[in-house]
Amino acid sequence: MSHIAVKHRKLTITVLAGLGVYLALFYAVRLPTIEQVTGHTFRRVDYWQFLLLPEMLLSVWFGDPAEFALLDRLPVLGLAALIVAYSAALGWLLLAALRMDRALTRLEAFVFATAVGLATVSTYTLAAGLLGWLRNPMAFALPAVLSMAAFSNLWLRRAAERETQADQQESSLRRQRSPSRKVATAEDRAPADWLDARWLWLAAPFLAVIVLGGALPPVDFDVREYHLQAPKEFFGNGRVGFLPHNVYANMPLGSSMFALLAMSITGNWWLGALVGKTVIALTAPLTALAILAAGRRLHSNSAGIVGAVLYLGTPWVTDVATAGLAESPLAMYSFLAIYAGVLLPTMRTNVVLAGYLAGAAAACKYPAVLFVVLPLLGWTAFGRGEAYDSPDGGRSQDPSGGKGWFDRFYVGLRSRWKPVAALLCAAALGGGLWYVKNWFFTGNPTYPLLFKVFGDSTGTWTPASNAQWDRVHYPEVVSVAALARDLGRVFLTSEWLSPLLFPLGLLAVAARRPRRTELVLVGYFAWFIVCWWLLTHRIDRFWIPSLAVVAVLAGIGVSWSDRVLWRRAFLVLFAATSLASLLVAASPAPGKYQRFFLPLQRARTDPLRVDAWHRHFNAHPPEGVLLLVGDAAVFDLDVPILYSTCFDATPLRILAGAASPEERRRRLAEAGVSHVLVHWGEIARYRATYGFDPWVQPALFDELAAQEVLLPLPPIENHSARAYRAVPPQVPPAR
């Protein structure tokens, strides 16, 4: 054995030892969320017990007694697939208009077209809602028919062109003296492409979990408070407008428009919500396909396979995708925006595509402006070469004439104003309508953010509510100790991490010489984490969209060595950790609902998912409106309601504030309120975190009961909420 071989073997053993240490620490991490369920210490390694006790998983998936239903998912899955397929066709038309479709591989063209189409469908649904067209079938049918006709026409033309090109190539081959073609052998393959495509099947179980979980009704608080509740209210109102009682519903909700679209198509808010939630879930496998394509472009097919499987197999990814949260589509749009702006060869149209997708990300959540739009703007202005304006992409000459660095910087910046303007215009098209909507309704395009700059023309957002918001949505502690603790969460202790993602990503830059593009991806991930730590309230799922970039680096990191020892060890770890992550993704935990095979009608009223008082009022509808105090996760209620988030004015205070008992009864009656539900458990949680109206106290309801404004209903055992019947005002006797 040569000296070089011995040295490389030692290095491989060192890397494997380091990886072993990380995995030992990784699986020794305690999981407080699971400990709430089990009641005892639970570490990541303990998930392996589900292999020995599969009946525990089966009871979660099928219920107890077991029930099995899949056919009732067909309308949900079918309509979700139809929306995605239509979006792919529409996006391909737009890519063809930019003349980008032929510059991409087939896989790249598919993922970019689908993302562009989904963003366009979302924006159109918002526009239709603002115009009050949600109940007009032609508002959706006519554009669909016209766009599909254009798609069919272009598809047939391209098919004819491909047939002509094939005939020309065949004729050229026939004219050659030696028509034989060389057959590719194993020796002809790139050394990096050592991983067979069949390893992609490791992602299949995670895909099943995502699809089945995406079609289930929601359990996440944010989803039931606004991600699905807001489109439900828009659909009920027949238009998209300003909702003064739900501040979150007035933020960018680009991912929620798929539910609103499905509600408008089906005329059913419940079915439409499940369809929209499923479309959101499907953005996770679309992101994995984008990672597969990026790995192929940057390095090899093997890099793409590893990155895609690791991403889809990250429990955090499956969790946010199946929950219906905005982070899943945000990750797709963000990664593809970076893909278009940084990874693809320099072209004039790339910056338009990158800007449009960055705008689509900003249409999902405000933080995307920091996470995606700003770094792309900086890259376009300062990082990319001179020239989007020269025919060869700026490779032929230096516009600064070889002057010093300041001159090159100044001249380069001056020459890039066109791509910067194109990026901003495209971003405005991709997500700007949400900001225009808020400016129109509230005078603040970033409502409720930047209140001190723009104010609020509606009067619903006050300095007090803004101070309450700022107090809980910005970091409390900025210190070295806090930074170390939070970085530890990102790289090791956050509960739903992948065991190989960060170690392999580190190998991409530490065990081999990284290329400039890979360093840019590292810089982008660092930017994302810095913004998350300095400018948000540091919820873990806020940085999950950055994992797509880490997955690309992890796929590349696998290729740091081509030695048999490393490859065999990696494949063992790849298979074993994928199984471990699947156990995490498919196992019960607080905040998860995994009745994958329960009939949807049963899931709609399942006590594991729906609050007992909500089930009571759905089964016994009140004569009038149900007024809720402290309860904002109201999506499952199928009765008329009044409610508010913890940041908005409590409706009860408006109706039953400082007034006489008879005036209180009159105001409640005028608002149509027949029942009141006050959730003391939620109020206590708010007061320990976000804050809540101090006027709401048990003594207030004792007073209202003593005044016979409200009459208490019998309580539900072991439930912290109390319900009341509103007493109608006294009717004056007839003369």
Side-chain angles (χ1 to χ4, degrees):
M1 185 179 294
S2 67
H3 174 70
I4 296 178
V6 171
K7 183 177 179 180
H8 200 287
R9 185 180 183 86
K10 290 182 178 179
L11 180 60
T12 302
I13 293 174
T14 301
V15 169
L16 289 173
L19 189 57
V21 171
Y22 177 85
L23 291 177
L25 294 173
F26 182 88
Y27 284 108
V29 168
R30 291 180 57 180
L31 304 178
T33 302
I34 307 300
E35 291 178 354
Q36 296 176 21
V37 178
T38 62
H40 57 77
T41 300
F42 193 96
R43 303 182 187 277
R44 282 197 180 107
V45 70
D46 294 329
Y47 270 109
W48 289 100
Q49 67 182 288
F50 290 113
L51 284 181
L52 303 176
L53 301 170
E55 62 274 11
M56 295 178 64
L57 290 180
L58 295 178
S59 66
V60 171
W61 300 345
F62 292 91
D64 189 14
E67 295 183 79
F68 179 81
L70 278 182
L71 291 180
D72 61 353
R73 269 72 166 173
L74 292 182
V76 176
L77 298 178
L79 189 51
L82 181 63
I83 291 174
V84 173
Y86 170 75
S87 299
L90 178 63
W92 185 68
L93 276 176
L94 297 175
L95 289 183
L98 289 173
R99 299 181 179 179
M100 284 202 65
D101 57 319
R102 299 185 183 185
L104 303 172
T105 66
R106 288 186 179 181
L107 182 57
E108 286 175 335
F110 172 73
V111 291
F112 275 110
T114 306
V116 168
L118 286 170
T120 305
V121 166
S122 173
T123 299
Y124 179 81
T125 304
L126 171 61
L130 290 171
L131 293 172
W133 293 351
L134 296 180
R135 302 294 177 85
N136 183 357
M138 291 304 296
F140 299 97
L142 183 60
V145 170
L146 293 177
S147 56
M148 288 308 298
F151 169 79
S152 301
N153 180 55
L154 182 58
W155 181 269
L156 292 174
R157 284 169 48 195
R158 291 291 174 83
E161 291 176 6
R162 287 193 294 269
E163 185 176 350
T164 301
Q165 292 173 357
D167 291 341
Q168 292 174 350
Q169 291 175 356
E170 184 177 355
S171 300
S172 176
L173 287 174
R174 287 175 179 174
R175 288 194 296 269
Q176 295 177 2
R177 290 186 178 181
S178 178
S180 62
R181 299 175 61 190
K182 181 181 177 182
V183 179
T185 64
E187 289 75 22
D188 297 321
R189 296 169 58 193
D193 273 333
W194 57 278
L195 199 63
D196 193 283
R198 285 175 293 184
W199 283 89
L200 279 172
W201 283 104
L202 284 177
F206 297 101
L207 178 61
V209 169
I210 287 172
V211 172
L212 292 173
L216 287 172
V219 293
D220 185 88
F221 182 88
D222 288 357
V223 176
R224 293 196 289 186
E225 183 187 36
Y226 62 97
H227 284 303
L228 289 180
Q229 175 61 22
K232 175 186 173 184
E233 292 188 48
F234 294 149
F235 174 69
N237 297 336
R239 64 171 55 248
V240 174
F242 178 72
L243 301 183
H245 53 277
N246 191 332
V247 61
Y248 296 103
N250 303 303
M251 298 181 183
L253 294 173
S255 61
S256 300
M257 292 299 97
F258 305 124
L260 183 58
L261 171 64
M263 292 176 188
S264 299
I265 293 174
T266 63
N268 185 320
W269 67 266
W270 171 257
L271 175 60
L274 298 187
V275 172
K277 183 171 174 285
T278 305
V279 172
I280 289 176
L282 292 175
T283 59
L286 285 170
T287 307
L289 289 176
I291 293 168
L292 174 62
R296 288 176 175 176
R297 177 174 286 275
L298 289 179
H299 193 272
S300 64
N301 192 51
S302 298
I305 292 171
V306 172
V309 173
L310 287 179
Y311 179 80
L312 206 60
T314 300
W316 260 122
V317 172
T318 58
D319 185 54
V320 299
T322 55
L325 292 163
E327 278 74 17
S328 188
L330 176 60
M332 178 186 70
Y333 292 134
S334 301
F335 177 68
L336 285 173
I338 298 299
Y339 195 150
V342 176
L343 306 186
L344 292 178
T346 302
M347 293 173 56
R348 290 187 184 91
T349 51
N350 284 12
V351 71
V352 176
L353 180 59
Y356 190 77
L357 292 170
C364 293
K365 293 191 78 166
Y366 282 133
V369 176
L370 290 174
F371 292 153
V372 191
V373 178
L374 282 184
L376 270 178
L377 189 63
W379 175 254
T380 304
F382 304 116
R384 247 231 78 172
E386 290 63 68
Y388 291 86
D389 297 323
S390 61
D392 63 353
R395 292 182 292 274
S396 60
Q397 58 182 356
D398 179 358
S400 67
K403 298 179 181 179
W405 70 267
F406 180 80
D407 293 315
R408 289 198 302 272
F409 172 81
Y410 174 74
V411 176
L413 178 60
R414 189 176 62 181
S415 69
R416 295 172 192 163
W417 72 268
K418 289 183 180 179
V420 168
L423 179 81
L424 291 175
C425 290
L429 288 174
L433 187 57
W434 285 101
Y435 299 78
V436 173
K437 164 192 171 288
N438 277 347
W439 172 78
F440 177 81
F441 284 113
T442 71
N444 179 359
T446 58
Y447 180 93
L449 308 183
L450 300 180
F451 171 77
K452 294 179 180 178
V453 176
F454 296 105
D456 170 31
S457 61
T458 68
T460 58
W461 199 251
T462 65
S465 54
N466 189 67
Q468 179 188 358
W469 177 278
D470 287 347
R471 186 171 60 252
V472 296
H473 283 89
Y474 290 97
E476 293 184 4
V477 179
V478 177
S479 67
V480 174
L483 177 62
R485 181 183 65 249
D486 293 334
L487 288 180
R489 278 166 46 207
V490 171
F491 292 108
L492 181 65
T493 63
S494 185
E495 291 187 277
W496 317 125
L497 287 178
S498 165
L500 291 181
L501 204 58
F502 284 111
L504 294 180
L506 178 62
L507 288 178
V509 295
R512 55 187 290 278
R513 178 175 295 178
R515 291 173 293 180
R516 179 171 181 258
T517 303
E518 295 158 12
L519 292 176
V520 171
L521 294 181
V522 173
Y524 174 69
F525 173 74
W527 167 267
F528 210 109
I529 297 302
V530 167
C531 290
W532 167 78
W533 196 76
L534 290 178
L535 301 173
T536 75
H537 49 318
R538 300 176 188 166
I539 294 177
D540 276 8
R541 63 179 169 84
F542 280 18
W543 54 263
I544 299 308
S546 68
L547 290 181
V549 167
V550 180
V552 174
L553 293 170
I556 296 173
V558 174
S559 67
W560 78 271
S561 172
D562 60 358
R563 300 290 170 155
V564 174
L565 175 62
W566 163 250
R567 290 182 175 180
R568 288 179 177 175
F570 167 73
L571 290 179
V572 172
L573 290 174
F574 194 30
T577 55
S578 294
L579 176 59
S581 294
L582 179 62
L583 290 174
V584 177
S587 298
K592 289 186 178 183
Y593 185 70
Q594 296 169 315
R595 302 285 191 183
F596 296 133
F597 304 104
L598 197 69
L600 286 180
Q601 197 57 39
R602 284 267 290 105
R604 184 169 184 173
T605 59
D606 190 349
L608 291 177
R609 196 188 64 81
V610 184
D611 181 88
W613 276 112
H614 291 195
R615 286 186 285 112
H616 169 81
F617 283 111
N618 281 341
H620 307 89
E623 302 85 9
V625 174
L626 172 64
L627 190 155
L628 298 109
V629 182
D631 189 354
V634 295
F635 169 77
D636 289 295
L637 282 166
D638 196 12
V639 297
I641 60 172
L642 280 175
Y643 76 101
S644 65
T645 74
C646 63
F647 296 104
D648 298 297
T650 306
L652 183 65
R653 182 167 189 153
I654 299 173
L655 297 175
S660 65
E662 186 61 24
E663 179 68 12
R664 285 173 164 173
R665 286 192 284 267
R666 184 186 65 80
R667 290 182 182 180
L668 289 170
E670 287 179 350
V673 174
S674 64
H675 290 76
V676 175
L677 178 65
V678 54
H679 201 312
W680 293 112
E682 281 294 279
I683 291 173
R685 183 179 68 85
Y686 280 137
R687 285 178 171 153
T689 53
Y690 291 169
F692 196 79
D693 189 346
W695 179 76
V696 177
Q697 298 290 341
L700 168 68
F701 290 88
D702 293 340
E703 176 187 330
L704 292 173
Q707 294 177 346
E708 295 187 348
V709 175
L710 298 178
L711 296 181
L713 298 181
I716 293 179
E717 188 177 357
N718 298 322
H719 200 298
S720 61
R722 291 297 308 272
Y724 301 83
R725 176 183 292 276
V727 178
Q730 296 181 3
V731 179
R735 294 182 180 180

